[in-house]
Amino acid sequence: MFVQVSFPLPLQQTFFYCCPQPIYEKIQPGQRVLVPFQNRRLTAFVTKSLPKLPQDFPANVALREVLDLIDEASLISSELFKLSEWISQYYFASLGEVLKACLPPKINIQSKKRITITCAGLDAAEHSELQRLSPKEKQILEILAKRQNLGIGQLAKILGSRVTEGELRKLASRQYIQIEQVLDTKVMTPRLQLFVSSNPNTIEKLPSLKITSLQRKVLEHLSSVQQPFLAQKLLAQLGISHSALKSLEKKGLIELSWGRLDRDPMKGLEGISSSPQHVHTEEQRRVLQELYQFQQSNTFVPVLLHGVTGSGKTEVYLSLIERTLDQKRSCMVLMPEIGLTPRVAQEFRNRLGRGIAILHSGLADGERYDEWWRIKRGEARVVIGTRSAVFAPLLDIGLIVVDEEHDPSYKQQESPRYHARDTALVRGKMGNALVVLGSATPAIETFYNAQTGKYKYLCLASRVLSRPLPEVKLIDMRDDFKASQKRSVFSTTLAAEIKERLERKEQILILLNRRGYSASLLCRSCGQNLQCKNCSITLTYHKAKDRLLCHYCSYEQKIPKSCPRCSSEYLYFLGEGTEKIETLLEKTFPPARISRLDRDTAQKKNAHAKILRQFQQGETDILAGTQMISKGHDFHKVTLVGILMADQTLSFPDFRCAERTFHLLSQMSGRAGRGDLPGKVFIQTFHPDHYCLKFVMQHDYIGFYEKEIRFRRFMHYPPFTSMACILVRDKSLDIAAKLIQSFAKLLAQFADSQMRVLGPTLSPLAKLKNEHRFQLIVKSKSRLKLKDVLRKCLEQGMTEGLDLRKVHIDVDPVNIM
């Protein structure tokens, strides 16, 4: 008997293994097995079980045997397995990588290399001067002499530098060390806690029992709480030791038992208030009535809910979820940002109870593990999360909501490069679910699909309680400079408006979509910007760390005293980030209480929720931040929004730059005037005549869409063509260049006249994380033809021996940087 497996690695091909009869009888698609691979033992996912090998399988290849079953039954449902196959085929991803994304973290078993020192190695360490060891080899042997047995990662950490395979093989060839594969079975498991409960007749006998006052206190407390009660909590509340419980257990008065205690991701998020349920507006009632009719059909219906900011889309979602739960079906709500999840989850929990699960990368591994199993067991029928939540193990999904569907963070930038919005649509189609795509500024492709009838279209054109949309004004920073004769971060107009709002005890949001203190460090003598040694990107100065940081690879360095290029001492910090904006606000408006929300301040767990809670409760007057503050937040006291450097994204080499700018500025503008007081938005720009800014000022999405769709049609961009980006990465510039040229030749061989190939060329980010990057852009009028050509290129490339591990195909890219 045989099985075909796929590994959770970036390998397109699958592999065959012999399978013992007892294991073969239990095999299901998606089930995890332990198999030998090269000189390791790895977790693999079964894709097929076969009574015999395919006819084209080489007869001279000896197959290895499956070592063990990891799961008694597949953890992946047939629906999720089918969805994973679609993702694998559509996005050219390894099926094993996709199936891994369907499971909780850190549960796969694999072998790891362990290094031990030999007797010869001990002797060499003592007499290193005789053995001609390099300083690093000597250090490695000295560390191993003390620790005996280490993994490569542990050795590198103690050594303080990277340890290469070549260095270890050299020591092993001289028989100074041994390298062996050891199975690492340390995986994520449920958290078990000790629970205590009193025996049924203990409470009745309590008055007559001859026990100590402390033991009586324990039993009285147990009689007043719901049992079984967490022992750790009981000990803390009563200030007693564990021996007191053991004594009561010996007397038969209580029972101690171990049980599962799920880690609650909502812990620490108390105090985040939610909007109370309100009477539906006429528009909401109309929209809900149509959505209820779509739901009754029990068929797949994709709907674009186009609602202006503050129109009450969340209330529509909640009402839909309540109806879906009444029909005994499950619900999924996808959000673009981790920062949105706590507030929404709290609001949903207040309304729907505790049958809510949260899934996103900001949770601890244990919390994600427990939430996944709560969903799997059916204890949570509503899942809220970011893009990875699209793989939640829900059964019988009746409703999928993709909020802020236009957001680019729904697209995964590493393999598997799926788009959560499009994946949600496919999952909804497989499960006959209603899929609602909600946005105030829909993606151009989504609105086009609604206009052409592919999606149903519903609109919420007015804010709740007929609140007006904020007044938006453009501030030409060129005129501001001419008037003041000095460069200022805050224009005269914006500074005056901030001061006025502070005097009226109103709240203010300031957006600058760039973190750090200064954007770059410039040499005034030679004009050199200090760049990251691993990436073709300028280093950003972070004042809190007093370091120059790379926002892509996390490389950091001290501020040099002189220019590395010309040795000049005339170094100058250029540009601003949110860290500097916070400092300038504190200096300019000293009475104001100011906080900042960006990736730096939100690193600690629940830090972003704390900052948002303080602002919502009025403990902060001004909140400055990156795009994290731009969407989904409902602050009723915000009457002023200031947007700095609004046009910085308009010069990006990407056909979506105007659309991204429009989305960001429109969403940010929508944070103002959501309460009883009207709002104002001031957009600072050096390009006030750009059409994107004009449409933002007028709250005119339709006008922007019509202009943008004409440009897309003329330039043959999506939605009028299908597109893919082929990226080649390698640490060697020559290897990367040769490989992209080889792939370009394959495209020329298989592409037809209906396809257009742009490149090959260096990527806009030509070097990233110490890898050189080249790319090809392929456009085709036929999506099927595009996929067919790419598949033929991969097959031919494999035949020709190209290293396809370095070729990354991004279908429907949202970022071509």
Side-chain angles (χ1 to χ4, degrees):
M1 302 299 179
F2 306 93
V3 291
Q4 186 180 28
V5 305
S6 180
F7 290 99
L9 300 168
L11 299 171
Q12 287 284 336
Q13 66 265 45
T14 54
F15 299 85
F16 291 93
Y17 285 83
C18 294
C19 189
Q21 185 71 27
I23 294 178
Y24 184 83
E25 290 173 354
K26 298 178 182 179
I27 286 292
Q28 299 169 347
Q31 200 159 0
R32 295 184 302 154
V33 291
L34 188 67
V35 296
F37 184 72
Q38 295 178 348
N39 62 342
R40 303 167 65 191
R41 284 172 285 174
L42 298 176
T43 296
F45 292 90
V46 174
T47 59
K48 285 180 184 176
S49 53
L50 306 161
K52 59 182 180 179
L53 290 171
Q55 290 183 352
D56 58 350
F57 191 84
N60 59 341
V61 174
L63 292 182
R64 302 170 81 178
E65 193 170 280
V66 172
L67 301 174
D68 200 3
L69 268 177
I70 296 176
D71 307 307
E72 285 301 311
S74 178
L75 299 179
I76 297 167
S77 67
S78 57
E79 179 201 341
L80 265 180
F81 186 80
K82 187 178 176 184
L83 180 72
S84 299
E85 286 186 311
W86 175 84
I87 293 171
S88 173
Q89 293 165 10
Y90 186 88
Y91 293 105
F92 295 93
S94 157
L95 180 56
E97 284 187 299
V98 184
L99 292 170
K100 181 185 177 183
C102 297
L103 297 178
K106 295 188 177 179
I107 65 167
N108 284 338
I109 298 171
Q110 62 181 11
S111 58
K112 291 187 176 181
K113 288 182 180 177
R114 303 292 295 183
I115 307 152
T116 54
I117 192 166
T118 63
C119 293
L122 289 169
D123 185 60
E126 288 181 17
H127 305 93
S128 55
E129 69 283 353
L130 301 176
Q131 303 301 329
R132 297 180 182 175
L133 296 174
S134 70
K136 190 172 184 179
E137 290 173 335
K138 180 184 175 184
Q139 272 186 290
I140 290 172
L141 293 180
E142 287 174 348
I143 291 168
L144 290 171
K146 293 176 184 177
R147 299 291 294 271
Q148 299 297 320
N149 188 309
L150 288 173
I152 294 179
Q154 292 172 307
L155 178 60
K157 190 173 181 181
I158 298 169
L159 191 64
S161 64
R162 185 168 169 264
V163 181
T164 65
E165 295 276 348
E167 290 168 333
L168 294 177
R169 280 197 298 268
K170 187 177 177 182
L171 287 170
S173 68
R174 298 170 73 179
Q175 298 185 346
Y176 292 156
I177 63 170
Q178 285 184 337
I179 305 171
E180 59 180 339
Q181 294 285 343
V182 179
L183 200 62
D184 183 9
T185 56
K186 187 179 179 182
V187 295
M188 190 62 63
T189 56
R191 183 174 68 166
L192 298 178
Q193 291 283 339
L194 189 64
F195 287 87
V196 56
S197 55
S198 56
N199 287 329
N201 55 354
T202 299
I203 303 303
E204 298 174 10
K205 298 177 180 179
L206 188 57
S208 59
L209 288 174
K210 294 181 180 181
I211 53 177
T212 66
S213 59
L214 189 61
Q215 291 173 338
R216 189 176 298 276
K217 185 180 177 182
V218 172
L219 293 175
E220 286 174 349
H221 186 82
L222 284 174
S223 68
S224 64
V225 297
Q226 186 176 357
Q227 299 184 40
F229 195 73
L230 189 61
Q232 187 179 5
K233 192 175 180 181
L234 181 68
L235 298 177
Q237 287 180 356
L238 301 183
I240 60 174
S241 65
H242 188 72
S243 59
L245 297 183
K246 295 298 291 183
S247 177
L248 284 169
E249 186 187 34
K250 285 180 182 178
K251 293 181 179 181
L253 299 175
I254 64 168
E255 290 180 358
L256 296 175
S257 59
W258 290 93
R260 190 189 76 245
L261 182 67
D262 290 338
R263 289 153 275 212
D264 186 4
M266 295 291 288
K267 189 177 180 181
L269 300 178
E270 298 82 3
I272 298 178
S273 61
S274 57
S275 304
Q277 183 179 5
H278 58 264
V279 176
H280 293 150
T281 65
E282 184 59 39
E283 272 193 325
Q284 285 174 330
R285 281 196 293 271
R286 174 183 55 78
V287 164
L288 280 169
Q289 194 60 42
E290 292 197 55
L291 288 170
Y292 292 156
Q293 289 178 1
F294 296 149
Q295 223 173 14
Q296 284 175 354
S297 67
N298 285 328
T299 58
F300 167 62
V301 183
V303 179
L304 170 60
L305 179 58
H306 183 194
V308 298
T309 54
S311 59
K313 292 188 289 294
T314 302
E315 177 60 32
V316 171
Y317 302 155
L318 280 163
S319 299
L320 264 178
I321 290 169
E322 287 175 326
R323 181 144 180 142
T324 307
L325 293 175
D326 288 341
Q327 295 171 346
K328 308 300 181 186
R329 302 190 76 185
S330 303
C331 309
M332 177 187 293
V333 181
L334 300 184
M335 316 289 294
E337 287 280 353
I338 294 172
L340 298 176
T341 315
R343 181 189 66 80
V344 175
Q346 187 68 55
E347 187 166 353
F348 279 38
R349 181 177 279 190
N350 291 346
R351 180 89 162 257
L352 305 170
R354 296 188 63 86
I356 307 285
I358 304 175
L359 286 178
H360 60 70
S361 60
L363 301 181
D365 289 335
E367 290 173 339
R368 288 170 67 192
Y369 178 88
D370 289 346
E371 290 293 272
W372 189 92
W373 275 106
R374 283 183 64 228
I375 302 164
K376 181 72 174 173
R377 292 191 298 264
E379 296 169 12
R381 291 169 53 211
V382 179
V383 172
I384 304 171
T386 49
R387 63 173 176 259
S388 59
V390 76
F391 297 109
L394 282 169
L395 294 176
D396 192 20
I397 299 178
L399 172 68
I400 300 177
V401 172
V402 184
D403 194 30
E404 311 291 1
E405 63 81 28
H406 64 273
D407 200 284
S409 62
Y410 280 124
K411 176 72 172 179
Q412 173 91 351
Q413 295 301 323
E414 292 296 328
S415 185
R417 291 175 173 80
Y418 66 94
H419 197 301
R421 177 198 61 209
D422 300 339
T423 303
L425 286 162
V426 173
R427 187 166 187 185
K429 188 174 183 179
M430 289 178 176
N432 290 323
L434 171 65
V435 181
V436 179
L437 311 178
S439 178
T441 55
I444 296 296
E445 293 91 334
T446 302
F447 197 79
Y448 178 80
N449 286 335
Q451 293 291 95
T452 54
K454 188 175 180 180
Y455 302 159
K456 304 290 184 183
Y457 179 76
L458 297 174
C459 184
L460 292 170
S462 305
R463 281 186 159 187
V464 171
L465 301 177
S466 300
R467 292 177 180 130
L469 288 166
E471 180 185 357
V472 180
K473 292 187 175 181
L474 300 180
I475 299 176
D476 189 339
M477 295 302 287
R478 298 170 300 181
D479 294 340
D480 191 79
F481 176 77
K482 289 175 185 176
S484 63
Q485 289 298 306
K486 62 178 182 179
R487 182 184 176 278
S488 178
V489 174
F490 306 113
S491 63
T492 307
T493 305
L494 180 58
E497 291 284 343
I498 292 173
K499 185 178 179 182
E500 184 182 333
R501 294 309 190 285
L502 290 173
E503 289 171 355
R504 298 194 328 221
K505 307 296 181 186
E506 296 167 7
Q507 289 182 305
I508 301 140
L509 288 170
I510 302 293
L511 171 74
L512 175 59
N513 201 23
R514 178 190 286 162
R515 61 191 180 102
Y517 192 84
S518 294
S520 61
L521 184 62
L522 178 75
C523 175
R524 294 193 184 199
S525 296
C526 68
Q528 175 78 3
N529 272 317
L530 260 71
Q531 287 202 330
C532 172
K533 70 173 187 178
N534 303 317
C535 311
S536 55
I537 197 77
T538 303
L539 292 172
T540 304
Y541 175 56
H542 286 248
K543 191 174 183 180
K545 292 184 175 182
D546 196 27
R547 289 286 191 276
L548 293 166
L549 300 181
C550 174
H551 290 169
Y552 286 88
C553 73
S554 301
Y555 166 77
E556 61 179 76
Q557 70 173 63
K558 292 180 180 179
I559 301 163
K561 293 181 180 179
S562 60
C563 174
R565 183 179 181 183
C566 70
S567 302
S568 168
E569 296 180 358
Y570 298 104
L571 300 177
Y572 176 67
F573 288 110
L574 195 66
E576 296 83 27
T578 46
E579 191 180 8
K580 187 172 184 178
I581 296 304
E582 182 185 26
T583 304
L584 290 173
L585 286 168
E586 289 169 349
K587 288 181 180 178
T588 312
F589 309 102
R593 298 165 296 173
I594 297 160
S595 63
R596 170 168 56 99
L597 181 59
D598 55 26
R599 201 179 301 174
D600 298 320
T601 60
Q603 284 183 348
K604 291 183 179 178
K605 185 178 178 182
N606 295 335
H608 62 286
K610 182 181 178 182
I611 293 167
L612 293 171
R613 181 172 62 238
Q614 289 172 341
F615 188 70
Q616 189 178 54
Q617 294 175 349
E619 298 172 21
T620 308
D621 300 313
I622 304 176
L623 177 60
T626 57
Q627 49 84 29
M628 293 176 74
I629 66 171
S630 70
K631 50 205 165 194
H633 307 299
D634 191 29
F635 303 124
H636 284 204
K637 295 180 182 178
V638 171
T639 59
L640 177 65
V641 166
I643 301 174
L644 314 181
M645 297 175 63
D647 41 32
Q648 64 176 334
T649 54
L650 289 174
S651 58
F652 282 7
D654 190 332
F655 73 93
R656 286 193 174 93
C657 64
E659 181 186 6
R660 284 216 186 98
T661 304
F662 181 85
H663 287 161
L664 178 62
L665 301 189
S666 296
Q667 291 288 332
M668 190 66 210
S669 300
R671 299 315 108 203
R674 297 173 76 95
D676 297 328
L677 297 172
K680 270 190 178 182
V681 180
F682 290 90
I683 300 176
Q684 296 187 173
T685 176
F686 286 94
H687 302 285
D689 297 325
H690 196 285
Y691 71 91
C692 168
L693 304 182
K694 295 285 188 182
F695 287 122
V696 171
M697 187 174 66
Q698 297 160 7
H699 301 289
D700 186 4
Y701 173 81
I702 301 298
F704 174 77
Y705 167 80
E706 289 173 349
K707 186 172 183 67
E708 194 70 11
I709 204 72
R710 284 196 298 271
F711 161 72
R712 300 280 185 94
R713 183 182 285 110
F714 178 74
M715 294 299 294
H716 303 288
Y717 279 121
F720 301 103
T721 57
S722 296
M723 196 163 131
C725 177
I726 292 94
L727 179 71
V728 168
R729 306 186 312 211
D730 196 86
K731 291 182 179 179
S732 166
L733 180 65
D734 289 340
I735 291 174
K738 288 177 182 176
L739 187 53
I740 196 72
Q741 289 287 355
S742 298
F743 207 90
K745 288 177 182 177
L746 292 176
L747 280 170
Q749 179 181 340
F750 292 109
D752 61 18
S753 58
Q754 298 297 309
M755 297 180 67
R756 189 177 179 192
V757 179
L758 307 177
T761 182
L762 278 169
S763 297
L765 283 174
K767 189 181 179 186
L768 200 62
K769 298 180 181 179
N770 212 26
E771 290 183 321
H772 299 279
R773 295 153 51 92
F774 290 87
Q775 69 181 32
L776 287 155
I777 303 294
V778 189
K779 296 194 288 186
S780 173
K781 291 183 178 180
S782 166
R783 186 178 300 277
L784 288 175
K785 182 67 178 176
L786 174 64
K787 289 173 64 178
D788 182 56
V789 166
L790 290 175
R791 189 158 281 111
K792 285 178 179 177
C793 288
L794 289 173
E795 290 171 357
Q796 184 62 30
M798 191 178 295
T799 303
E800 294 179 8
L802 298 184
D803 191 351
L804 297 180
R805 293 173 302 173
K806 297 169 184 176
V807 177
H808 308 274
I809 298 178
D810 189 2
V811 177
D812 302 333
V814 299
N815 187 348
I816 54 173
M817 297 292 286

